[in-house]
Amino acid sequence: MNRHPQRISFRFSARSRFAACLVATADGAPAPGWWDLDGTRPPYAGGTPRYREGAPAETTATQVLPTEDGGLLRLRGAAGSGRHLLLLSPAESLSPAEDPAERLSVGARGLRLVPGGPRGTLALAVETAHDGRTRVWRVLPAPLRLSDPLTLPGRVTTLLPLDGTGCRYATDLEGPDGHRPVSLDLRDGRWHALPSPANGRVHRLLLSAPASGLLLTAGDPGDGRLRIAHAALGDRPRLDFPDRLNSLDGAVLPLAADPAGERVALRVSRGAQARLFLYDVGADQPRPAELPPGAFHPVAGWSAGGLRVVYATPDRPADLVTVPGTATHPARYDAASEPASDTREARSSTQRSPSGTQGSPVDDLGMPSGTPDASGTPHAPTEWFATPSGRFEAVRLGDWRTAPTVVVALHGGPEDHWTLGHDPVIGRLSEAGAAVVAPNQRGSTGYGRAHAEAIHGAWGVPDLADIRVLVRTLTEQRPPGAEPPVLLGTSYGGFLALLAVCADPYAWARCAVIAPFLSARGLRERSSPAVRALIDRHGLGEPPDDDLGPRDVERLAHRIRVPLLALHGCDDPVVPVDETHRLRRALTAAGGPERAPHDCLDIAGAGHHPLQERGGAELTDRLVSFLTAGFPDRRRSPAPPGLTVADAAVRHRPTSAVFGHITHDERTPS
């Protein structure tokens, strides 16, 4: 099977002439990947990019950052150790065969690399100390070292250059009154406040363009509405809130400014879909770029060779793409990694995009106006499904009505949502002939506060109701005798998937979970401070008064009737592997000679995302084979309380027999 390279952790150099990422090799171990985008290094000068890969010796936690002279910095850190290893590979030496990198061991907490710095500086290194203060170092070569530390009295989220010297930066300084924007001079460590709304507050800095003095911030001008502001610095600083910039329909994130600081690339997201706009700062005029809707990572680079974005679609892994019409000199290629095809493909797919043509108006549910509803279009990238509270959007691959296997994929988080990006497992399932429905049920972000906060204090209640209605819809519209849907969930999605097979044991064919937990209360007792803080922010709430009662899979495991596969990294820092150990014990305790099989695997040396680490390719093969296996005969399997074996065996009895009791507020609205 032809496997596309999976790339993550994209970064650009200070002037966007170089880019780097981590790329998964054949066995899943990440290796550093590196582009010379404008062909600035001989003998590759002349606008022809060069891409190379290093040895697969990294983890997904490795930070990669290209330097302005063509070298590559890598920062490896061991979780909780307080130690980091910084490596510098010269431009000419990055290769799988040898790694003559300079190495520096650094003792620091939460160290991160930031492009930029004064002349002679490779990058900046930023650390937030235990006392809440931030230290900023210059990373210097020959020998590799951290130098000239500066200390700020609070945490900072970003460093944006304010001029071409690499000495003055804008940053968000967090204090007792929240974040405030300040200007920092690396030469003397002095800082002073930047413009803020008179009656409001600035939430965060977004983007700068030193050539024009452009500085964009997300601010509340005092009316409670978050908007993007243009900060004018100098003798008479002020904030302006451009009308057209703030009238775009969706969540707007500035990605990059052109070298002159006159145009800005904007990612505009609505629900699962995102589009790219090019914004003329002086004219306050945004226009759609020549790329169809997809997923745009929050990093981009704009050099003389053009704007490069990290672009993905469900059937196309993330890669660098050069946006047409953005180069300041004639480009000799269309895309960074596939010079002959990427942009031409993007141009042609714009014409056939199922989401409408560029510039199509969008209605209040995120559907392009003037186009048919996605539910009737087998090749549409998203589809809307009815829920007890209205409807939700789902990303789809393939036609779930006719495919032999339909996989319902549940995202983690829970503060997350599916986009039109590429997921390696979903891509493999699609290649294997399965259709995939990836729902953004209640609790998902990207659809407004009410949708996201519906599960606060109620994990596994309204979102589980949505999944129960979804499986009814999928089952009722598939041919007689078709296999029931299959479940796949990761982290929070694993918790929700396990609840779904407990709630409706005979509605599903199989279930696979990765790094699942069994209950919010149990996870809070056994997890890290960061996870406890998330749970506390959402609230535990009171146990629901329904047939399932408290959402605790350990208590409900005796209801599971489907073949189950669980994968969990032994070194998972987010969800302890003990959660899967508890699941195994609960399933074994409820076992019997006619129980559906279960396999709970501990993955030695793996973290929260075992499929993205060494050995991940084999795990993915096993997962895909499990999910696409045939439907077993469960007519002889004992039914859980409240459901007879005869009802469970007859797939085409009234759906209430298969799905068990659904309370009034969980029914699909008429």
Side-chain angles (χ1 to χ4, degrees), residues 224-290:
R225 180 185 170 199
L226 184 64
R227 282 178 275 180
I228 296 179
H230 176 194
L233 308 180
D235 296 335
R236 304 178 67 179
R238 70 181 190 278
L239 285 179
D240 297 320
F241 293 86
D243 292 335
R244 291 175 179 169
L245 175 60
N246 286 290
S247 65
L248 287 166
D249 193 7
V252 180
L253 177 67
L255 299 178
D258 71 3
E262 298 172 348
R263 290 189 294 171
V264 174
L266 305 172
R267 184 186 71 183
V268 182
S269 304
R270 285 214 62 172
Q273 304 193 41
R275 301 184 60 189
L276 184 71
F277 283 76
L278 301 179
Y279 173 65
D280 187 313
V281 177
D284 185 26
Q285 181 64 54
R287 67 173 181 85
E290 292 186 42

Side-chain angles (χ1 to χ4, degrees), residues 166-334:
C167 294
R168 293 182 59 242
Y169 285 82
T171 187
D172 291 314
L173 184 61
E174 181 183 3
D177 299 327
H179 288 87
R180 51 177 170 163
V182 301
S183 172
L184 170 67
D185 195 318
L186 297 182
R187 291 167 293 198
D188 55 19
R190 295 183 181 180
W191 55 272
H192 63 271
L194 290 172
S196 297
N199 301 313
R201 60 192 180 96
V202 171
H203 292 256
R204 57 179 293 203
L205 296 168
L206 299 175
L207 180 140
S208 70
S212 64
L214 174 69
L215 181 63
L216 296 181
T217 72
D220 174 359
D223 59 4
R225 180 185 170 199
L226 184 64
R227 282 178 275 180
I228 296 179
H230 176 194
L233 308 180
D235 296 335
R236 304 178 67 179
R238 70 181 190 278
L239 285 179
D240 297 320
F241 293 86
D243 292 335
R244 291 175 179 169
L245 175 60
N246 286 290
S247 65
L248 287 166
D249 193 7
V252 180
L253 177 67
L255 299 178
D258 71 3
E262 298 172 348
R263 290 189 294 171
V264 174
L266 305 172
R267 184 186 71 183
V268 182
S269 304
R270 285 214 62 172
Q273 304 193 41
R275 301 184 60 189
L276 184 71
F277 283 76
L278 301 179
Y279 173 65
D280 187 313
V281 177
D284 185 26
Q285 181 64 54
R287 67 173 181 85
E290 292 186 42
L291 281 177
F296 298 88
H297 289 219
V299 293
W302 204 334
S303 67
L307 168 64
R308 282 88 176 201
V309 295
V310 182
Y311 174 72
T313 61
D315 57 358
R316 171 192 177 126
D319 207 348
L320 290 184
V321 172
T322 301
V323 179
T326 59
T328 56
H329 59 69
R332 294 177 55 183
Y333 59 100
D334 288 323

Side-chain angles (χ1 to χ4, degrees), residues 127-168:
E127 178 204 15
T128 300
H130 287 283
D131 58 8
R133 295 186 296 173
T134 298
R135 283 189 280 272
V136 181
W137 285 275
R138 295 172 60 186
V139 182
L140 299 178
L144 183 64
R145 64 194 187 279
L146 301 185
S147 178
D148 306 317
L150 298 176
T151 301
L152 292 172
R155 293 178 173 86
V156 301
T157 57
T158 187
L159 286 171
L160 301 176
L162 290 176
D163 59 27
T165 68
C167 294
R168 293 182 59 242

